[in-house]
Amino acid sequence: MTERTYTEEIRRFNRHYANMLGKIDQRIYGKPYLLSEVRVIAELYEKKDATATEIREKLGIDRGYMSRMIQKFEEENIISKKQASTDKRQFLIQLTDYGEKVHQGLVDDANREVGNIIGALNAQQVDRLTSAMRTVESLLNFEQAEVPRVIIRPYQPGELGYVSYLHGALYSKTYQFGAIFEYYVMKGLAEFMMDSSGGELWIAEVDEEIAGAIAITRSSEDTAQLRWFVLDERFQGLGIGHKLMDFALAFCRTQHYRHVFLWTVSILETARHLYGKYGFTLTEQKANNDWTEDELLEERWDLELGS
């Protein structure tokens, strides 16, 4: 190809994906939040305790517009401000609990629209698509990345064993679970390997290293179970848990599940807090005397997705 041909091909691709993503934005944004407002909310979700200046400079937003936006968000209880300890002239901004709910609603809407677009693709095609997107992003990102690169993708052959290892190693070290727990995980994963219809398992990668996993399995025609949600403790604090939950629940909606449930144990406080933020509610408890020397309390959490 000549340089002119390369340039025209890049412009053609740009028109295609800009048109496609523009349609998603039109369906989601504008009521009640404009795209620029959504970008600020998303940035505040990813970066806790940021200043308005940091957000404005990163997103390229006009100073006056940013000031009006912050005032609007304060009035609507989306954000709260506190004085920075290092500079009394600066105020740190963070999302309130209500602001996080607003963000989650926007994420759900976006995931649903993207899910509709890729709904006709199989797992391998989606993997190829996202891999190509990562290649474009990597080649055109001329600045050195300052944070680890997190990727969520469908599992590949050989990785279910590693998911079992992550469970066994984490729960043995942190919570003193016995070997029977790893057998329980391995047994379920083996069954999933033989029949994964209506389900999927995703792997979280950080700089090409497996950091965690999550899965959805079919329980009935309209009910799914969230399973094997695990995160290597070395990679906490990167928002991976939220990303995995987003993928899993978006998948449930594309599969037209109306209900999702999961089982956990009461000692997993961080996970339980996350489930609550996503709208799951505790519905059942039962004793477990198999996995540790002390009795555990298993809990069932349920989420209604609607029609």
Side-chain angles (χ1 to χ4, degrees), residues 19 25 36 87 103 119 134 144 155 159 169 171 178 206 216 254:
N19 180 56
D25 292 341
S36 55
D87 186 348
H103 172 265
R134 292 194 297 270
Q144 183 67 32
Y155 81 97
E159 293 178 336
Y171 284 89
V206 177
I216 291 294
T254 62

Side-chain angles (χ1 to χ4, degrees), residues 22-288:
K23 290 179 180 178
I24 298 176
D25 292 341
Q26 290 172 8
R27 294 187 187 115
I28 301 171
Y29 308 129
K31 297 179 180 180
Y33 302 106
L34 301 174
L35 178 58
S36 55
E37 295 174 334
V38 173
R39 293 174 65 203
V40 170
I41 292 173
E43 192 65 28
L44 288 171
Y45 180 80
E46 294 294 333
K47 183 177 176 58
K48 310 299 183 184
D49 291 337
T51 66
T53 300
E54 290 172 338
I55 301 298
R56 179 178 62 80
E57 291 179 348
K58 180 174 181 179
L59 300 181
I61 297 175
D62 175 76
R63 185 190 301 271
Y65 181 40
M66 185 69 179
S67 178
R68 294 191 296 274
M69 194 186 308
I70 293 299
Q71 182 178 356
K72 173 185 175 180
F73 287 168
E74 277 193 284
E75 292 173 351
E76 296 181 0
N77 192 35
I78 292 175
I79 63 169
S80 61
K81 297 196 302 187
K82 65 180 180 181
Q83 201 171 45
S85 58
T86 55
D87 186 348
K88 301 302 181 182
R89 298 169 298 177
Q90 292 278 5
F91 286 89
L92 303 178
I93 305 170
Q94 61 183 5
L95 293 179
T96 61
D97 289 342
Y98 173 69
E100 291 197 353
K101 290 181 180 178
V102 169
H103 172 265
Q104 188 55 52
L106 293 168
V107 169
D108 289 343
D109 289 342
N111 284 341
R112 181 175 59 254
E113 293 299 333
V114 174
N116 290 337
I117 290 176
I118 65 174
L121 303 179
N122 59 39
Q124 289 73 28
Q125 290 172 323
V126 172
D127 194 29
R128 286 176 56 200
L129 173 65
T130 54
S131 177
M133 289 177 169
R134 292 194 297 270
T135 299
V136 172
E137 181 182 5
S138 175
L139 291 174
L140 296 181
N141 183 18
F142 302 110
E143 297 180 359
Q144 183 67 32
E146 297 180 356
V147 297
R149 180 177 294 276
V150 178
I151 295 171
I152 310 297
R153 58 167 176 79
Y155 81 97
Q156 298 173 358
E159 293 178 336
L160 292 187
Y162 194 78
V163 172
S164 174
Y165 161 78
L166 282 178
H167 280 82
L170 171 66
Y171 284 89
S172 173
K173 175 184 176 181
T174 308
Y175 304 105
Q176 290 74 54
F177 278 36
I180 190 66
F181 173 72
E182 189 170 359
Y183 165 77
Y184 165 80
V185 174
M186 293 174 64
K187 181 175 181 292
L189 286 169
E191 293 170 350
F192 174 79
M193 183 184 297
M194 295 300 296
D195 182 10
S196 61
S197 57
E200 184 58 272
L201 186 147
W202 297 269
I203 297 293
E205 279 188 1
V206 177
D207 293 337
E208 300 185 353
E209 183 176 358
I210 294 179
I214 198 169
I216 291 294
T217 62
R218 173 181 287 166
S219 179
S220 68
E221 182 177 349
D222 63 353
T223 301
Q225 181 176 2
L226 190 151
R227 306 186 70 181
W228 307 308
F229 183 25
V230 65
L231 178 62
D232 190 320
E233 291 182 322
R234 295 176 298 152
F235 301 103
Q236 291 182 352
L238 299 178
I240 297 174
H242 286 279
K243 294 179 186 295
L244 288 169
M245 289 289 291
D246 289 342
F247 264 76
L249 295 181
F251 175 82
C252 288
R253 292 184 171 91
T254 62
Q255 296 295 308
H256 305 296
Y257 288 122
R258 301 180 64 182
H259 188 94
V260 188
F261 72 93
L262 62 89
W263 283 96
T264 185
V265 288
S266 61
I267 59 175
L268 302 182
E269 296 181 359
T270 300
R272 294 170 78 254
H273 178 69
L274 182 62
Y275 300 145
K277 291 180 67 173
Y278 275 84
F280 283 84
T281 56
L282 176 61
T283 58
E284 184 180 343
Q285 294 178 317
K286 65 179 181 180
N288 181 316

Side-chain angles (χ1 to χ4, degrees), residues 3-31:
E3 181 177 349
R4 179 181 178 84
T5 305
Y6 283 127
T7 302
E8 291 176 347
E9 184 68 15
I10 291 171
R11 292 180 59 233
R12 183 201 61 77
F13 174 74
N14 179 67
R15 289 193 299 271
H16 173 74
Y17 88 81
N19 180 56
M20 180 186 68
L21 296 182
K23 290 179 180 178
I24 298 176
D25 292 341
Q26 290 172 8
R27 294 187 187 115
I28 301 171
Y29 308 129
K31 297 179 180 180

